[in-house]
Amino acid sequence: MQALFTSVGVVGTGAMGRGIAQMAAQAGSSVLLFDTQPGAALAAQSTLAETWGKLMAKGKLTERMQADLVSRVSCAESLASLSSCQLVIEAIVEKIEVKQRLFSELEGLLAPDTVLATNTSSLSVTAIGAALKRPEQLAGFHFFNPVPLMRVVEVIAGLKTDAGVCQRLTHYARQFGHTPVSAQDTPGFIVNHAGRGYGTEALRVASERVADFATIDRILRDQMGFKLGPFELMDLTALDVSHPVMESIYRQYYDEPRYRPSVITAQRLAGGVVGKKVGEGFYRYDNGVANVPSEPAVPVMNALPPIWVSPKAARRAELYQLLKNLGARIETGASPSTAALIMVAPLGLDVTTLAAVERLDPTRTVGIDMMLDDAATKRRVLATNPATREDMRNAAHALFASDGKAVSVVRDSGGFVTQRVVATIVNIGADMCQQGICSPKDLEMAVTLGLGYPMGPLAMGDRIGPTNVLEILFNMGTVYGDPRYRPSPWLRRRGALGLSLLHEEA
Ligand code: NAI
């Protein structure tokens, strides 16, 4: 393969620089490594040789390919040695003045048409370029850790970046075997922006004591298919990394309520309870294994009350079918008998509001989350209201667990757990498209590859139905009176017209 850039400089040879150098060499480029820390470039060079040695031992590379790759990487004594490079990628410390100084220096050493790329994850490409004579030559080239495994890269155009520079980086990323996505120069670019919903909304759910951390994790894994629950994920990333990102994006968007961080993570960070790496985060770890509290046992009931379902329940027909399958005694009268367990299935509203509005006896009213088809999920979620009687809560728990499916009973909350978190993710993704930060297709690609979600935010919205997402957000806005739930125009218009969230205007 003929690499698009035959000679590439990598400045900063830490975790990211090494990964980028590996991919560049594998794409066929000659790579020059430079680092200000004495011995760092040499160490990176030998790590790369080791990596390729291991791949050879596994039979993934021939001896000749391995030798070829090793011969393509060398160390530069000084920045001046990079003068003949056609592309220089920077992966140094995340400080704007240091990055600006580096690129200014490089400009004086390199040919005018050399492409300059920054791997920054949180600084503005436009702001870095503002210190340059030729800002049009600089673009963001944002990889994820570990680079060889995380096969997505954001190509970011600063305000003055030449479109041709982005095109060349996009093409080159494909030679790495990576999927390039194009992003406008905005805080968090695509992946770190789209990822705001999951953790922050889960933290809000926890802060209202709707459920504990482990229950929220179980619900989001089992109902929506996330590989890791939000608290497991934050434990893995560690709060010293993720809390500052939450704060930074919130501030950079001038205190946009959708991104508002939580005092829970601020306090835990201050107390050093940052995650798995220190043995304690949202979970405690013994030898790296999380100590997960066990689930509350299913109550044992001698007899179950009859069940009456609100006529306004979401997916009412499916709920009836489910109750029939569970062998429940279903009441079909216009109103519940005095013995009945009353079921409501709200979208976005809380059980309390439904009991009040529908004039139901709150002591016997329990909610079930029917946003998703019961058959498509591995867990049912029930919610009580502050007046629900213990026997009614236990009866509902026992009944819905009677076929062996996992059940979580949470406290009342507009939108249970999954509705809240998913609607927030969909809304943030939709708004990114509304703002033109990226195309719908690139959003979906970046989120599935960069965050490992089971599907992109827009596909998630389509799965639930854009009109339902809109209803959830509208109702949560009513319950909480908080502007963070206001729907993006992208969602509002597509939801109102029954269009897919992936639909782009002609
Ligand atoms: P690191 O700390 O492992 O490596 C940085 C390297 O840059 C060190 O070897 C250091 O000696 C060198 N360095 C610092 N200032 C320099 C200068 N002026 N000139 C030459 N070398 C210099 O850091 P890491 O994790 O590799 O990150 C590097 C960059 O990549 C940062 O801008 C970071 O925001 C970005 N990034 C990091 C990700 C991660 O998960 N670690 C993910 C995506 C982007």
Side-chain angles (χ1 to χ4, degrees):
M1 173 168 59
Q2 174 69 41
L4 182 71
F5 297 100
T6 48
S7 173
V8 174
V10 174
V11 182
T13 58
M16 297 306 289
R18 284 171 199 199
I20 295 167
Q22 182 186 337
M23 299 318 290
Q26 289 173 198
S29 305
S30 296
V31 182
L32 267 172
L33 302 171
F34 179 75
D35 199 293
T36 42
Q37 197 192 314
L42 207 58
Q45 191 185 18
S46 37
T47 311
L48 286 174
E50 264 172 46
T51 304
W52 287 317
K54 281 184 199 152
L55 289 175
M56 186 177 73
K58 284 189 195 160
K60 298 211 167 139
L61 291 177
T62 62
E63 209 174 323
R64 175 141 179 229
M65 283 157 86
Q66 188 258 359
D68 211 31
L69 286 167
V70 170
S71 74
R72 264 182 227 154
V73 180
S74 37
C75 295
E77 289 299 315
S78 66
L79 266 192
S81 317
L82 305 182
S83 62
S84 60
C85 289
Q86 295 150 352
L87 164 68
V88 176
I89 307 170
E90 154 292 298
I92 64 167
V93 59
E94 190 77 340
K95 286 198 177 132
I96 188 155
E97 330 73 65
V98 186
K99 290 197 198 272
Q100 284 178 330
R101 214 178 312 128
L102 169 71
F103 283 121
S104 300
E105 212 177 315
L106 283 168
E107 259 192 334
L109 299 168
L110 303 166
D113 61 347
T114 307
V115 171
L116 302 174
T118 170
N119 183 44
T120 183
S121 54
S122 63
L123 302 172
S124 154
V125 175
T126 305
I128 297 172
L132 303 185
K133 290 194 201 83
R134 295 187 297 273
E136 64 278 7
Q137 289 305 110
L138 175 78
F141 206 28
H142 181 213
F143 288 89
F144 296 84
N145 194 15
V147 180
L149 299 181
M150 295 293 290
R151 292 297 182 102
V152 62
V153 54
E154 296 175 332
V155 179
I156 302 131
L159 271 184
K160 296 205 171 160
T161 308
D162 184 283
V165 164
C166 288
Q167 271 164 19
R168 296 178 72 196
L169 288 175
T170 298
H171 183 104
Y172 189 50
R174 290 207 180 93
Q175 295 189 327
F176 280 21
H178 273 54
T179 299
V181 288
S182 307
Q184 291 300 319
D185 185 22
T186 48
F189 310 126
I190 306 178
V191 172
N192 284 340
H193 185 168
R196 285 316 89 220
Y198 196 45
T200 41
E201 192 61 24
L203 281 160
R204 283 176 197 131
V205 174
S207 71
E208 289 163 28
R209 298 201 304 133
V210 173
D212 58 28
F213 305 130
T215 304
I216 297 171
D217 278 350
R218 285 187 191 106
I219 291 174
L220 286 160
R221 275 194 321 255
D222 291 352
Q223 286 209 312
M224 203 58 213
F226 288 101
K227 282 190 212 117
L228 292 177
F231 298 102
E232 292 171 289
L233 183 64
M234 281 187 269
D235 267 3
L236 208 60
T237 316
L239 292 183
D240 51 341
V241 176
S242 52
H243 183 79
V245 174
M246 291 187 220
E247 285 200 333
S248 149
I249 293 190
Y250 175 63
R251 292 288 176 219
Q252 288 187 75
Y253 273 107
Y254 296 103
D255 297 7
E256 162 60 52
R258 285 192 189 113
Y259 314 132
R260 194 188 306 141
S262 165
V263 293
I264 295 180
T265 46
Q267 196 213 30
R268 286 174 168 259
L269 173 58
V273 187
V274 299
K276 187 174 176 182
K277 69 182 180 189
V278 298
E280 192 181 5
F282 292 104
Y283 297 91
R284 282 179 175 280
Y285 294 82
D286 292 324
N287 296 321
V289 179
N291 217 319
V292 183
S294 50
E295 293 205 51
V298 179
V300 180
M301 307 290 289
N302 292 330
L304 292 172
I307 306 251
W308 183 87
V309 176
S310 156
K312 294 193 181 129
R315 289 185 188 270
R316 192 161 175 257
E318 278 110 316
L319 183 50
Y320 267 121
Q321 190 55 50
L322 172 61
L323 289 167
K324 270 187 207 150
N325 297 346
L326 294 171
R329 276 184 293 144
I330 304 168
E331 289 189 357
T332 51
S335 55
S337 72
T338 52
L341 165 65
I342 301 167
M343 293 300 304
V344 293
L347 285 181
L349 287 175
D350 53 358
V351 179
T352 304
T353 303
L354 284 197
V357 170
E358 295 183 35
R359 296 175 188 277
L360 305 170
D361 175 359
T363 65
R364 296 183 286 130
T365 305
V366 172
I368 180 166
D369 187 351
M370 291 296 290
M371 177 181 76
L372 296 161
D373 183 2
D374 180 71
T377 69
K378 290 197 242 152
R379 180 175 294 271
R380 299 183 183 122
V381 178
L382 306 174
T384 53
N385 71 75
T388 306
R389 275 177 6 213
E390 194 180 358
D391 61 323
M392 287 294 161
R393 184 192 65 208
N394 289 345
H397 189 168
L399 172 67
F400 283 99
S402 62
D403 60 353
K405 194 148 167 167
V407 171
S408 293
V409 185
V410 301
R411 287 210 180 93
D412 204 8
S413 143
F416 296 87
V417 177
T418 307
Q419 291 182 17
R420 282 178 77 157
V421 173
V422 167
T424 302
I425 292 171
V426 173
N427 198 31
I428 288 174
D431 209 53
M432 290 171 68
C433 295
Q434 184 65 44
Q435 293 176 47
I437 291 171
C438 58
S439 70
K441 196 167 142 272
D442 278 0
L443 172 72
E444 301 292 275
M445 195 67 87
V447 168
T448 42
L449 294 174
L451 295 171
Y453 288 2
M455 61 191 91
L458 303 178
M460 228 178 252
D462 279 353
R463 166 144 184 234
I464 288 146
T467 319
N468 289 336
V469 181
L470 208 50
E471 185 176 339
I472 291 168
L473 288 168
F474 179 80
N475 287 339
M476 285 205 294
T478 309
V479 172
Y480 292 101
D482 190 318
R484 70 187 186 234
Y485 296 120
R486 73 189 187 287
S488 163
W490 183 280
L491 174 62
R492 205 152 42 74
R493 299 201 175 105
R494 281 157 187 76
L497 297 173
L499 295 171
S500 157
L501 294 183
L502 285 151
H503 175 83
E504 290 184 77
E505 287 181 42

